[in-house]
Amino acid sequence: MIELGKFNTLTVVSRRDNQYGFDGGELGEIALADQDAPDTLKVGDTVKVFVYIDGKNQTIATLQTPLAQVDEVAWLKCISLSHAGAFLGWGLPKDLLLPFSEQKGKIVEGRSYLVRLFLDENNRIAATMMLDDFILDQAFYYKDGQAVQLIIADETDLGFKAVVDNQYWGVLYKSETFQPLQKGQALTGYIKKVRPDNKLDLVLNQEKYGQKVDATSEKILAILAKRGGYVALTDKSAPEIIYDTFGVSKKVFKQAIGGLYKQRRIVIEEAGIRLVDQA
């Protein structure tokens, strides 16, 4: 069955000059819209194509790759404004409509917005900014430590809201996230914890805590050696400075220097840590 607004693997059933047709099942033959289709295609080949309904209400296919499919969230730039709404660039020749009814706040040409793609009542692809109508607060079937795809949404007092796998809301806590994040940024993250209410706490690093401390200890020793045996940082230093230097949270840093101190490999001074001469 053909899925509109998504990639489908279809079979070439006709070729006339450089015009191709695909088997669309109950939809009939679907034309390839690309004018510069490769001449290596032949009848019987199976090809992955993006299928959608164009402005003439015809079902067509393209070999081009849009920035998002239906049911996906994306960070798209407003290309133009019209009486119908805003048009967003999404990687295909015909821009994507963001109707007035699906907008939040004033839309400015040239700025980007976080949207979700959907099929309207005519099965045409459109965009919406009303993410809460589609993205769920409660998630099921995830496990702690599982890798997920994230898109950063709004910054909050706690940290950052993120869309998980285009379906669920999750939270990256500010106290555990030190790298700069931008709205609309797509990256891989991990489930830190599925809370009792089935809401998701997220992290950007999968490494287990004990392994993280051990790796940080080695990094501290290496940086101390590189800097002449002294670094002006302690467990009282600002988390941001610790992260900029060692790439870890203050909690991990404190555990690491505590372990090194017990091993008598460093001395913790009032203003910094110093490498112990092992000679």
Side-chain angles (χ1 to χ4, degrees), residues 25-49:
E26 61 186 20
L27 297 180
E29 188 170 314
I30 298 175
L32 181 65
D34 303 0
Q35 298 300 313
D36 54 350
D39 56 12
T40 54
L41 282 180
K42 59 183 182 296
V43 173
D45 287 349
T46 56
V47 186
K48 186 177 181 180
V49 291

Side-chain angles (χ1 to χ4, degrees), residues 17 26 42 45 60 76 96 144 151 159 169 184 194 208 217 221 239 249 253 257 263 276:
D17 297 327
E26 61 186 20
K42 59 183 182 296
D45 287 349
I60 59 173
L76 303 179
L96 180 68
D144 294 356
I151 298 180
W169 287 118
V194 180
K208 294 184 183 299
S217 298
L221 293 173
S249 68
F253 175 72
I257 64 173
Q263 297 168 24
V276 172

Side-chain angles (χ1 to χ4, degrees), residues 40-109:
T40 54
L41 282 180
K42 59 183 182 296
V43 173
D45 287 349
T46 56
V47 186
K48 186 177 181 180
V49 291
F50 185 78
V51 180
Y52 64 105
I53 293 178
D54 65 8
K56 298 178 181 179
N57 207 35
Q58 296 178 322
T59 303
I60 59 173
T62 178
L63 294 169
Q64 299 182 64
T65 302
L67 297 178
Q69 305 180 69
V70 163
D71 299 332
E72 292 184 348
V73 175
W75 183 245
L76 303 179
K77 181 184 288 188
C78 176
I79 303 300
S80 63
L81 302 171
S82 77
H83 67 279
F87 284 94
L88 311 176
W90 66 312
L92 294 186
K94 181 175 173 55
D95 296 328
L96 180 68
L97 177 64
L98 174 61
F100 286 115
S101 60
E102 302 295 336
Q103 297 178 13
K104 291 174 65 176
K106 182 180 180 181
I107 304 300
V108 178
E109 187 175 321

Side-chain angles (χ1 to χ4, degrees), residues 3 11 18 39 47 56 89-90 170 196 233 242 246 254 260 268:
E3 290 189 276
T11 302
N18 208 36
D39 56 12
V47 186
K56 298 178 181 179
W90 66 312
L233 287 174
I242 291 172
F246 298 107
K254 289 173 68 174
L260 291 172
I268 301 176

Side-chain angles (χ1 to χ4, degrees), residues 150-253:
L150 306 179
I151 298 180
I152 303 302
D154 298 313
E155 186 172 2
T156 69
D157 292 338
L158 292 175
F160 294 88
K161 287 182 67 176
V163 180
V164 180
D165 291 339
N166 292 294
Q167 300 180 76
Y168 306 105
W169 287 118
V171 177
L172 288 160
Y173 290 97
K174 193 173 297 184
S175 60
E176 300 172 345
T177 307
F178 300 98
Q179 69 188 71
L181 296 174
Q182 302 293 328
K183 187 170 184 177
Q185 182 178 349
L187 69 171
T188 298
Y190 302 89
I191 303 296
K192 177 188 176 184
K193 181 180 180 181
V194 180
R195 290 155 50 183
D197 59 2
N198 289 309
K199 294 183 179 181
L200 301 177
D201 290 343
L202 309 169
V203 290
L204 296 180
N205 197 313
Q206 186 188 31
E207 199 167 17
K208 294 184 183 299
Y209 187 74
Q211 295 174 338
K212 188 77 170 177
V213 171
D214 291 341
T216 302
S217 298
E218 294 303 317
K219 181 181 258 188
I220 289 171
L221 293 173
I223 290 177
L224 281 168
K226 186 177 181 180
R227 298 189 180 184
Y230 181 79
V231 172
L233 287 174
T234 70
D235 58 5
K236 297 181 178 61
S237 300
E240 294 77 12
I241 300 175
I242 291 172
Y243 185 84
D244 287 343
T245 305
F246 298 107
V248 296
S249 68
K250 186 172 182 175
K251 180 180 178 181
V252 172
F253 175 72

